[in-house]
Structures are given as C-alpha cells and as structure tokens.
Amino acid sequence: MHLLSDPGAFPPTPPPSVTDLDAIAEHDWAAFDAVDEMINHWDRPGWSDSTRAYYWMITVPPEEPLVSQAQDCQRQLSHLGFDEIAEDGLHLTLARVGLVGEVNSGQLDHLVSAATESLPAAFSLVAVPLTASRGALRYSVGPWNPVLELHASLSLAGVQSGLPPRKPTGLLRPHIGIAYSNRRRSSVPVREALGPLRQMPPVSVTISDVHLVELRRERRAYQWRIVHILPLGPQQR
C-alpha cells in the first residue's frame, strides 16, 4: 500500500514503517511536537447538530483493557479541560460514506452486501499511549497494515455501490482519540501533561468486526446509531 503525504492529514506525512510500533508512535509525537497551537475540534465547516452522516467505524467495547487505561489518562489530563470521549464512545474512524440525505437505502444495502464479500480477517491492534493531533488527544495504533487493508476493502465496496470513497486509503492515519480540544490553545502545556503518560504500557485490542453507523454530533460529543455490524473473517494464527 502506497501511503500519501497531505498537509490536511495528521501527521501530514506517513510514518517510515506501518508495522513498527515505535516508529509509528515516534512519528506521531514528532508531528505533534511541531504544532504550536491546537485548534477547536468542533469548529468544523459543514457540521452542525442537525448533520447526519454514514461512516465506517471500528468501536472499542467498554470491557476492553484499553477503555480503563484511557479513562485513567482522561483523569490525569482533566485539568486541561478537553471534552472527554465516553467509555462507550472510543473508536477508530475508517471512512465517511456520505450524508444521510444523499445515500439511499438501496445503495446502503448494496454497500453492505459488497463489503461482506470482501472483508479481511480479524486482527489485533496495539494502542500506544499517548499523543495528540491539532485537535485531539489520542493513542497511536499499530500495525497499520490490517487497518489499511480493511479500508481498501470498504472503499472498493463503496465504488461498486456508487459511493466512491471520500479519502483514499493512502491518506488514512489510524488512531484512537480519547478527548477533543474545545478551543484554541497553546500546545506546550498539553505536551508537558502527555509526557509522563507516554511511559504507560501499550494495550492490545482485538478487532473482530466493523460498524456502519449513522453519526451525529450532540453538543460537544459524537453519538451514533448502528446501521450494520459486519464480522471480519477468522483471525489468522
């Protein structure tokens, strides 16, 4: 998979390796180290409380060890005043399918059918604490290759259903957020607060399905309605 550079992505350039966890985490941190000021995540053109859109998403079940560690991180970072993601809201966003009013039920049915026929096997991800982007606090994750394979499979299903991908697989930057910045702020105190948490151990997460959801924004949080849950294939040994 050929990864692409784009100033609109974060990090703007891909890491030197998509399988080396240390390289991925160091690359993410170096990108955030170059950020002087964080933005307000919620100041997003085209989004309002009435917006509804379909997304492909990997969700993290509340019983996963990652959730309890993320909550611990949130407690230690609460003085920063970020909008924390609830325990049932941790996720890895894969791709936007389209606005609800622009995608009909027939296209959705065809999308699910096409995706089901080509989904890759279940896989494990390792979440590495902790880093940030321009607008959020987040985990680095790796290896990237199974996530990229899944994204490419879903993108192909979208093309077959008349729903071309909004973003090519080469621009995907897999991560799991834990809190959103709700104002413009200096990144310096954020880096200082994140530093000690980067010594926490990585956490493994098993990814066994992918969700097609109808996403909405309520106040300063994302909520979703699950449209379909598609199981991945048997995990390879």
Side-chain angles (χ1 to χ4, degrees), residues 106-107 109-118 152-165:
Q107 288 175 305
D109 290 343
H110 192 283
L111 175 64
V112 170
S113 177
T116 300
E117 295 177 0
S118 60
S153 175
L154 296 173
S155 295
L156 178 59
V159 170
Q160 295 169 343
S161 307
L163 298 166

Side-chain angles (χ1 to χ4, degrees), residues 46-48 50-55 96-104 107-108 163 166 214-215:
W47 267 100
S48 70
S50 63
T51 302
R52 302 289 186 273
Y54 295 116
Y55 275 80
R96 177 167 169 161
V97 175
L99 293 172
V100 168
E102 298 175 352
V103 180
N104 62 52
Q107 288 175 305
L108 276 187
L163 298 166
R166 301 298 180 106
E214 180 186 307
L215 189 72

Side-chain angles (χ1 to χ4, degrees), residues 65-75 90 139 177-178 200:
L66 172 60
V67 176
S68 60
Q69 188 190 74
Q71 290 178 310
D72 184 25
C73 291
Q74 289 171 339
R75 284 190 292 270
L90 294 186
Y139 279 82
I178 67 165
M200 299 176 76

Side-chain angles (χ1 to χ4, degrees), residues 174-227:
H175 63 274
I176 296 175
I178 67 165
Y180 297 112
S181 176
N182 48 33
R183 59 181 173 83
R184 302 192 76 90
R185 66 180 77 212
S186 169
S187 62
V188 174
V190 178
R191 270 192 293 275
E192 292 174 349
L194 290 177
L197 302 184
R198 291 175 56 76
Q199 307 306 312
M200 299 176 76
V203 184
S204 181
V205 183
T206 299
I207 308 302
S208 56
D209 53 42
V210 60
H211 292 192
L212 177 63
V213 305
E214 180 186 307
L215 189 72
R216 65 187 187 277
R217 196 169 81 179
E218 291 184 357
R219 303 178 187 86
R220 296 195 305 230
Y222 290 110
Q223 305 288 340
W224 58 80
R225 177 181 68 85
I226 297 174
V227 180

Side-chain angles (χ1 to χ4, degrees), residues 56-79:
W56 288 114
M57 183 182 292
I58 292 170
T59 63
V60 182
E63 65 271 14
E64 286 279 357
L66 172 60
V67 176
S68 60
Q69 188 190 74
Q71 290 178 310
D72 184 25
C73 291
Q74 289 171 339
R75 284 190 292 270
Q76 296 190 57
L77 298 168
S78 61
H79 64 283

